[in-house]
Amino acid sequence: MFTINIAGKKHELSEKTPILSLIDKRSQKKYMAAKVNNRLRELTYELFFDADVELLDLKAPDAIKVYETSFRYLLAMAFHNVYPDYQIKISYAISRSLLVAVVDPKINVDMKMIAAVKEEIDRLIKLDLPFTRTTMSKEDAYNYFVKVGQKDKADALQYRPEKTCHFYACGDYLNYMYGYMVPSTGYLSQYKMFPYDGHIIVQYPRYEANGQIPEFKDEPTFSKVLKRAYRWANTCEADIISKMNDHAKEDAYVDFINMNETLHNDMLAELGERIANDIENIRLICIAGPSSSGKTTFSNRLRVELMSRGIKPLRISLDMYYKDRDQIPVDEFGEKDFEDINALDIDLFNDNILKLINGEEAELPNYQFEGGRAEHGFITKIGPDTPIIIEGIHALNDQLSYAIPKHQKFKIYIAPQFQINIDYHNPISYTDIRLLRRIVRDKKYRGASAERTLEMWPSVRRGEFKWIYPYQEGCNYVYNSALTYELCVLKKYALPALQEVKPDSPHYITANRLIKFLKYFTDIDDRWVPCNSLLREFIGGSCFAEVDE
């Protein structure tokens, strides 16, 4: 006998029992997955031991990942059924959606194609076909994918350390999706599909939208950056893991590193030229981006780029403008919210910036974090051709710099925008890459465990959705801080930190998922990573010797 606690009820059982059978049939499709003694499990998982079971609906991040993985399977299956000769590539896109592209550039996506695929998806959902998990040896899986013409999947499997892999069958269709699945197609009824820029946008529920499909927001600036990243991944032949790992070979990785660093140099040169061409108007250069985007190194490199053009900018840290600790607003949990814009002395900031722009002296504050109070700082003055660089979470928000005319501000949004997949059906999350960067940086510079970083991450993400993402589209330039080779370098730093997370930790599910993902990358020796590389901000050895906030 064993005891199962689930949905407020206790069950005494004597034989293996699927989680699904313990859920009221009227509400089964409300849940996508479950936590069983702190391990993520599919609803078809059979219980045979004492367990506390937490059912996860679409308000939970882990449930959304299961939904998204399952829907990508359904997308691939529908295309296979309707257009068996077409290969599709699924990527992450603007407005927290998926972008579906036909790999063959000669094939145009039109309304007829979208209607046919949507009709097939709806048919499969209505049939409520089960996803059946099956185990196959890695060799058999490789041969299967070669046989059906999916070499991208076959090549990725050679980097899987395990000797077996778990396929999912739905009718006669087989696929491998690197994640857990819902029990059947009937769970996947929430989606939207429409044409976008010659491809297909697919929206699905998001946990940050309370389990609903968020309103689609067209983001043309951001879209152009993703398109550029997509082209770059193909140019450097690293759009999927197997191709990228080919670059990690001893005789190739130095060139691979330098190719990607050159791309960053080119973007800095492009950015420097744009600022220089309008330097008579630009007085405030505002830099913002989500956590671990590389803002500190970028702002230093931009400063050097501008200096090479005869422009000598002044950098001002927004950290110096925090209010005294007793004036910091609190969040919904009653904790001091240092990410709230009202935690900053906005009036003092505008007074300082206006004085500097007008050629007057200004005394900049010197905030003491230990005491939680601002002290007298240093007095400075700048010339009429000296722009001011500010960098921080609120830099793009006009509420911060309300006294400065918009034409005097040049806004830069920075974030790593990867367009790399494990295979054509399994894109790599750029949010996960930022999380890995932060785990590595926090461990190296702050002595913080991966568990501590994972504990803070939901709060960090809430701040990003509230204070950063709403302002990204109104910027003058988007700087893609991704380095295609970086996961091959970060792996040796991130894996040991993640492996320290114990199975009883509430963050073990995330740590375990990241460990499984990192194992597919081949190591690259970081000795050839330049000292001014943005990656040095996280792994150490930066010539700027500063740490991102």
Side-chain angles (χ1 to χ4, degrees):
M1 295 288 293
F2 55 94
T3 303
I4 304 298
N5 296 306
I6 180 172
K9 295 181 180 179
K10 181 181 289 188
H11 299 267
E12 300 289 342
L13 304 172
S14 58
E15 57 184 26
K16 284 186 175 182
T17 304
I19 297 171
L20 199 60
S21 67
L22 301 177
I23 306 173
D24 188 316
K25 289 186 178 181
R26 293 170 295 180
S27 59
Q28 278 184 349
K29 288 185 170 58
K30 174 183 176 182
Y31 304 105
M32 303 297 131
K35 285 184 182 179
V36 178
N37 292 347
N38 206 39
R39 294 293 298 273
L40 186 65
R41 299 296 186 188
E42 295 174 327
L43 295 180
T44 52
Y45 180 78
E46 292 186 329
L47 301 165
F48 57 93
F49 49 83
D50 292 345
D52 293 319
V53 179
E54 178 188 353
L55 299 174
L56 302 178
D57 62 18
L58 291 172
K59 296 176 184 178
D62 289 318
I64 291 295
K65 289 186 182 299
V66 172
Y67 190 99
E68 183 218 314
T69 299
S70 305
F71 200 88
R72 283 190 278 107
Y73 182 109
L74 185 61
L75 264 172
M77 180 181 179
F79 256 96
H80 172 266
N81 291 352
V82 179
Y83 299 104
D85 296 329
Y86 293 2
Q87 272 199 323
I88 60 167
K89 184 178 182 183
I90 304 173
S91 309
Y92 291 116
I94 61 172
S95 196
R96 292 169 276 169
S97 63
L98 297 171
L99 184 77
V100 184
V102 178
V103 174
D104 188 341
K106 296 189 294 293
I107 297 172
N108 296 317
V109 173
D110 55 22
M111 294 301 294
K112 181 181 177 182
M113 177 185 291
I114 295 173
V117 172
K118 187 178 186 308
E119 183 180 353
E120 178 64 6
I121 289 174
D122 291 342
R123 185 185 74 85
L124 295 171
I125 291 172
K126 188 175 181 180
L127 288 173
D128 198 16
L129 301 173
F131 294 116
T132 304
R133 182 171 172 165
T134 182
T135 301
M136 190 181 294
S137 72
K138 191 165 70 171
E139 182 180 358
D140 287 344
Y142 178 90
N143 292 333
Y144 170 76
F145 281 131
V146 169
K147 179 182 176 182
V148 297
Q150 296 183 21
K151 193 172 184 301
D152 57 304
K153 288 185 175 290
D155 289 345
L157 284 175
Q158 66 182 303
Y159 298 102
R160 179 177 173 82
E162 293 81 10
K163 294 181 179 180
T164 60
C165 55
H166 301 293
F167 269 73
Y168 287 85
C170 188
D172 295 331
Y173 182 74
L174 285 175
N175 208 335
Y176 181 50
M177 301 302 290
Y178 300 87
Y180 291 130
M181 301 275 286
V182 296
S184 63
T185 58
Y187 283 70
L188 303 172
S189 60
Q190 297 186 59
Y191 77 99
K192 293 180 181 178
M193 179 184 291
F194 48 89
Y196 187 87
D197 196 22
H199 304 302
I200 303 171
I201 284 284
V202 176
Q203 288 187 283
Y204 55 96
R206 301 286 304 197
Y207 76 90
E208 63 272 9
N210 206 31
Q212 303 299 311
I213 298 175
E215 177 188 357
F216 180 77
K217 295 180 180 179
D218 194 1
E219 298 164 338
T221 303
F222 191 35
S223 181
K224 289 175 185 176
V225 174
L226 288 177
K227 184 181 289 187
R228 185 175 179 176
Y230 190 95
R231 288 197 304 267
W232 174 251
N234 284 282
T235 297
C236 67
E237 298 181 330
D239 59 321
I240 55 176
I241 277 184
S242 59
K243 293 182 183 178
M244 183 161 57
N245 284 343
D246 285 342
H247 290 292
K249 296 174 182 176
E250 189 69 29
D251 59 346
Y253 74 82
V254 173
D255 287 345
F256 189 46
I257 288 172
N258 283 301
M259 281 174 61
N260 285 276
E261 295 293 342
T262 298
L263 179 64
H264 274 199
N265 294 338
D266 290 346
M267 286 190 289
L268 279 164
E270 179 183 12
L271 185 51
E273 184 175 4
R274 287 185 59 179
I275 293 172
N277 288 340
D278 196 28
I279 196 60
E280 291 182 1
N281 292 309
I282 297 171
R283 304 314 314 277
L284 194 61
I285 299 172
C286 312
I287 303 169
S291 176
S292 301
S293 293
K295 296 182 290 292
T296 298
T297 299
F298 169 73
S299 58
N300 272 306
R301 291 190 63 177
L302 178 60
R303 176 178 56 85
V304 173
E305 174 65 32
L306 294 176
M307 288 169 61
S308 74
R309 298 172 183 272
I311 301 168
K312 297 181 179 179
L314 170 69
R315 281 187 66 203
I316 292 180
S317 172
L318 291 178
D319 280 358
M320 296 299 100
Y321 289 90
Y322 275 117
K323 294 176 180 176
D324 290 348
R325 190 161 293 164
D326 58 0
Q327 298 180 47
I328 301 294
V330 297
D331 61 19
E332 64 269 32
F333 305 107
E335 301 291 332
K336 295 287 186 183
D337 188 358
F338 286 90
E339 293 189 345
D340 192 308
I341 193 170
N342 296 302
L344 300 175
D345 192 334
I346 297 173
D347 291 336
L348 176 61
F349 174 78
N350 281 271
D351 179 73
N352 283 174
I353 297 299
L354 269 180
K355 284 180 178 177
L356 292 172
I357 288 176
N358 292 333
E360 302 172 24
E361 287 186 344
E363 182 181 358
L364 307 184
N366 182 21
Y367 191 84
Q368 298 297 314
F369 283 90
E370 195 169 310
R373 293 190 178 277
E375 297 180 353
H376 290 292
F378 66 96
I379 298 174
T380 189
K381 183 179 179 180
I382 61 174
D385 58 347
T386 298
I388 301 165
I389 294 178
I390 61 169
E391 170 256 305
I393 186 173
H394 302 293
L396 302 184
N397 188 342
D398 284 325
Q399 184 183 343
L400 173 72
S401 52
Y402 63 83
I404 315 303
K406 288 186 177 181
H407 76 274
Q408 290 187 328
K409 291 184 274 194
F410 190 93
K411 297 180 179 181
I412 304 168
Y413 178 80
I414 174 173
Q417 310 296 344
F418 282 78
Q419 287 290 281
I420 304 171
N421 286 34
I422 297 175
D423 57 46
Y424 285 153
H425 298 158
N426 291 277
I428 293 173
S429 163
Y430 21 86
T431 300
D432 280 349
I433 292 168
R434 288 194 296 107
L435 176 54
L436 288 167
R437 283 180 173 185
R438 180 150 181 167
I439 287 169
V440 170
R441 183 202 65 191
D442 286 358
K443 180 78 169 177
K444 183 170 185 66
Y445 289 107
R446 300 175 181 176
S449 65
E451 182 162 11
R452 174 61 179 152
T453 302
L454 291 169
E455 181 182 4
M456 294 169 56
W457 193 244
S459 175
V460 170
R461 292 285 286 155
R462 285 195 298 272
E464 291 169 355
F465 281 108
K466 185 175 183 179
W467 297 114
I468 297 178
Y469 297 143
Y471 306 99
Q472 67 183 17
E473 188 57 30
C475 62
N476 300 96
Y477 193 92
V478 177
Y479 186 87
N480 185 354
S481 67
L483 287 161
T484 309
Y485 70 86
E486 69 178 83
L487 285 168
C488 295
V489 173
L490 287 172
K491 175 184 175 180
K492 72 176 179 181
Y493 295 97
L495 266 181
L498 290 165
Q499 287 166 341
E500 291 175 359
V501 179
K502 305 297 184 186
D504 60 351
S505 165
H507 307 292
Y508 180 77
I509 290 173
T510 302
N512 191 46
R513 177 176 61 80
L514 293 173
I515 287 170
K516 290 180 178 178
F517 158 67
L518 279 173
K519 286 181 178 179
Y520 281 88
F521 293 88
T522 299
D523 288 315
I524 285 182
D525 190 335
D526 59 17
R527 59 181 169 152
W528 300 117
V529 176
C531 70
N532 69 340
S533 172
L534 188 140
L535 188 56
R536 287 290 177 191
E537 185 171 310
F538 306 99
I539 65 173
S542 172
C543 58
F544 298 115
E546 288 187 36
V547 184
D548 192 11
E549 296 177 350

